Amino acid sequence: MVGAIFCDLHKAFDCINHAVLLEKMKFYGVSGNFYSLVKSYLDGRYQKVIISYNNGIESTWEKIKQGVPQGSILGSIFFLIYINGLPKLALTGTKILLYTYDTCIIVTSPNLENYEKQINKIFRDINYWFKFNHLVLNYNETHYLQFNTKNSRKYVLKLNYQGNYVKSSPHTKFLGLIIDDSLLWKAHIDQMMSKLNTACFVIRTLQAMSTETLRMVYFAYVHSVMSYGIILGGNQPYSEKIFKIQKRVIRIITNSRMRDSCRGLFQRLEILPLYS
């Protein structure tokens, strides 16, 4: 049996405790001038909320004791240092994957009884770890996926911690990919089709421009969408619909007829077909 918990942290970057972060940086060997620079960056910052300038409605100045800027390179590095110890909780048959604040826990076991014990223990352990490090798991946005084959028996697991239940879902979004419990990638391909149809419309409206310009637009709005995660879902039968949209775009760029063969058009534009 294989299952995965896709964790979502509540205001992850805003909950980073400065004192805990500095201690973790010491543990990982950060010292000297660089440590002093980071400490200076985090310490001595204050903020207040102004509701009305005219009426003078505002809060008092309060010292900022937690939180790092989200969307910055430095903020992401701080967050990774902060949660770098989480994968050490992994037991035999479990694996913890981290990418900034996106966390996935994969549990595998040959039998149901051992699988239940493993997944409940690792879920209890990570909740305790998050609480100890001043982080909060958002149970409403955390999902559990039970991966199944076509002929396997579906098993419903009610995963919870202290009465907070995790949704069991047939699919969830992780790192921009929609992962489904059968790994058929149908939901992800449907999302791609929506984006590619929009891109197709844009290229059609720009058809009067030169072929080189349309080719640049293709790589910006079509190729970028198609190539992301192609190694996972590109060989699925359902991906044929993506290939049809790609051929439609190629015909628009070259001003070809609907039934013209695209083999030579791909070569002329030096663009690889989906399956290549």
Side-chain angles (χ1 to χ4, degrees), residues 38-49:
V38 173
K39 191 173 186 297
S40 174
Y41 174 79
L42 296 173
D43 283 351
R45 291 179 176 269
Y46 293 81
Q47 68 178 13
K48 69 175 180 178
V49 177

Side-chain angles (χ1 to χ4, degrees), residues 199 202-222 249 252-254 269 271:
V202 171
I203 292 176
R204 190 184 296 276
T205 60
L206 300 175
Q207 198 170 12
M209 294 186 174
S210 66
T211 301
E212 187 59 33
T213 301
L214 294 177
R215 189 173 177 274
M216 290 173 60
V217 175
Y218 167 87
F219 279 104
Y221 293 97
V222 178
V249 172
I252 292 171
I253 293 174
T254 57
L269 294 174
I271 291 175

Side-chain angles (χ1 to χ4, degrees), residues 93-109:
T94 64
K95 189 173 184 179
I96 299 177
L97 307 176
L98 299 178
Y99 189 87
T100 319
Y101 53 84
D102 287 316
T103 304
C104 174
I105 304 158
I106 301 174
V107 180
T108 60
S109 180

